[in-house]
Amino acid sequence: MIIRAELKCKQTGCEADPCAVDKVIELPSPRFKQFSRALLADYDFIAENKNAIRRDDDARHCLLILDAEGTDGFLVDPQGYNYARYSAFVPNARSLLTPDMAIDHSYLSSAKPWWDEGRDEMLRMTLHVDGKPDYTLILPADEKYLDAVKAYLDIDVFADAMLCDIRFKVPYIGELIRDTDCPAVEDYNDFAEALEDIWQKDGMLLTYAAVLEAEKPETLRRACDLLRNLDNYQRITEGAYGYGQQRLQETLGLDDDAIYELDGYMDFEQYGQDCMENDCVAKTEFGLLRRLAPPFSEQTQGQQMFQ
């Protein structure tokens, strides 16, 4: 079947020729809408069907993704990737189907919940319930997805499932969290949401790692509280010299020009070292760390204060 539509690459904007449809796939309407909002995310229905697309010189070959409860669709040429590298929205695409075109309905099953691939995966775990297939839970997730997972496992609360093989997207973060209280799925989800908030902020993951090493939280909830309160910590990256300049600016309200004028007349290195001692700056594997309010006051096991 040939559909006349110009495909565009979401990354380059380059246009391509009209294409032939090699396979038609229906998605549940909520998933189709999510796909339409995040075409560049990886999707299982593309990864599992990209090899069904033929290659020849006569036409560009594509997948046609349909809304199971609507008439619209998307033409997709992934070019070997797991996302819609080239795509075109096709209004009323269902009306263009010919009688000989089979439709793959396998992705309509609501038995196994699907996670919103448009979000960053912060952690995953395996849920085990006797008599049910193990399910890989990916977090963070919304309440609708979590409720669907409980329905799939036929449980009322996640406490009825065994949590196994918990893996953090950032391994060193997971290694720094030791919780002996057996956190609930809801606690893990709260933590994943907080981690997602800082995921793309420069330096924040290293700051959080330093905080975990210095504070040594004993529960996941405490680790989450620290994560949501990172503004109370400062990871020092410029050494004593830079710290001395910064603290002098904070104390006296000096601007950069004034600090420049003082260079050569003041020992910023020594001043910075004195400030670090007074501020109880802690040494961690991830750099020097200052807690603003209240300052670190006591050494914890394995932690050395700056001297």
Side-chain angles (χ1 to χ4, degrees), residues 35-74:
F35 167 65
S36 69
R37 294 193 299 264
L39 294 171
L40 294 183
D42 287 346
Y43 293 96
D44 57 346
F45 56 86
I46 294 179
E48 293 166 5
N49 293 283
K50 61 187 180 183
N51 292 331
I53 299 175
R54 296 187 293 119
R55 295 278 179 256
D56 60 46
D57 296 330
D58 297 330
R60 176 185 290 273
H61 291 257
C62 300
L63 303 173
L64 176 59
I65 312 299
L66 292 178
D67 182 350
E69 298 177 17
T71 61
D72 300 333
F74 277 91

Side-chain angles (χ1 to χ4, degrees), residues 1 3 21 23-25 62-66 73-75 93 97:
M1 179 183 72
I3 293 182
V21 174
K23 188 167 185 178
V24 182
I25 300 170
C62 300
L63 303 173
L64 176 59
I65 312 299
L66 292 178
F74 277 91
L75 287 170
L97 298 179

Side-chain angles (χ1 to χ4, degrees), residues 2 31 33 39 46 56 63 79 112 139 153-154 159 166 170 179 183 189 194-195 223 234 262 265 285 300 305:
I2 300 292
R31 193 174 196 195
K33 291 177 181 177
L39 294 171
I46 294 179
D56 60 46
L63 303 173
Q79 292 280 299
K112 188 171 184 178
L139 301 174
L153 295 175
D154 196 21
I166 300 168
V170 187
D179 194 320
N189 196 42
L195 192 60
Q234 175 192 0
L262 287 173
Y265 294 96
E285 182 182 348
T300 55
M305 306 311 289

Side-chain angles (χ1 to χ4, degrees), residues 121-125 165-179 183 188 191-192 195 199 208 212 220 223:
E121 174 186 329
M122 294 294 105
L123 63 89
R124 65 169 56 204
M125 65 185 67
D165 193 26
I166 300 168
R167 300 188 182 187
F168 291 75
K169 184 168 184 175
V170 187
Y172 61 81
I173 295 293
E175 291 169 2
L176 289 167
I177 297 176
R178 296 288 182 268
D179 194 320
Y188 280 112
F191 178 84
L195 192 60
W199 179 247
Y208 182 53
L212 288 175
L220 184 66

Side-chain angles (χ1 to χ4, degrees), residues 144-215:
K144 183 177 180 180
Y145 169 73
L146 295 177
D147 288 343
V149 172
K150 286 185 282 189
Y152 173 69
L153 295 175
D154 196 21
I155 57 178
D156 294 325
V157 292
F158 281 115
D160 294 332
M162 180 184 297
L163 312 187
C164 315
D165 193 26
I166 300 168
R167 300 188 182 187
F168 291 75
K169 184 168 184 175
V170 187
Y172 61 81
I173 295 293
E175 291 169 2
L176 289 167
I177 297 176
R178 296 288 182 268
D179 194 320
T180 58
D181 290 343
C182 299
V185 166
E186 291 79 6
D187 293 331
Y188 280 112
N189 196 42
D190 288 343
F191 178 84
E193 288 179 343
L195 192 60
E196 183 184 37
D197 288 340
I198 71 163
W199 179 247
Q200 296 185 2
K201 296 180 180 178
D202 291 343
M204 295 300 285
L205 282 173
L206 288 177
T207 297
Y208 182 53
V211 170
L212 288 175
E213 183 181 331
E215 297 284 12

Side-chain angles (χ1 to χ4, degrees), residues 200-300:
Q200 296 185 2
K201 296 180 180 178
D202 291 343
M204 295 300 285
L205 282 173
L206 288 177
T207 297
Y208 182 53
V211 170
L212 288 175
E213 183 181 331
E215 297 284 12
K216 294 181 171 53
E218 297 182 355
T219 66
L220 184 66
R221 288 185 180 181
R222 173 59 178 155
C224 188
D225 289 340
L226 293 171
L227 179 53
R228 296 187 186 277
N229 195 33
L230 284 186
D231 289 343
N232 194 37
Y233 298 87
Q234 175 192 0
R235 191 170 66 91
I236 301 166
T237 60
E238 298 180 354
Y241 184 88
Y243 189 71
Q245 291 182 321
Q246 173 198 318
R247 293 293 282 120
L248 195 63
Q249 285 183 296
E250 292 175 359
T251 303
L252 301 180
L254 302 178
D255 58 19
D256 291 341
D257 290 338
I259 292 295
Y260 178 79
E261 291 295 330
L262 287 173
D263 196 13
Y265 294 96
M266 180 170 180
D267 189 346
F268 289 122
E269 182 84 18
Q270 184 60 53
Y271 182 71
Q273 290 179 351
D274 292 343
C275 287
M276 285 185 180
E277 292 182 13
N278 292 332
D279 294 339
C280 297
V281 170
K283 286 182 178 178
T284 77
E285 182 182 348
F286 303 94
L288 299 173
L289 185 71
R290 175 189 177 196
R291 187 171 68 189
L292 303 182
F296 291 117
S297 57
E298 297 180 1
Q299 297 186 30
T300 55

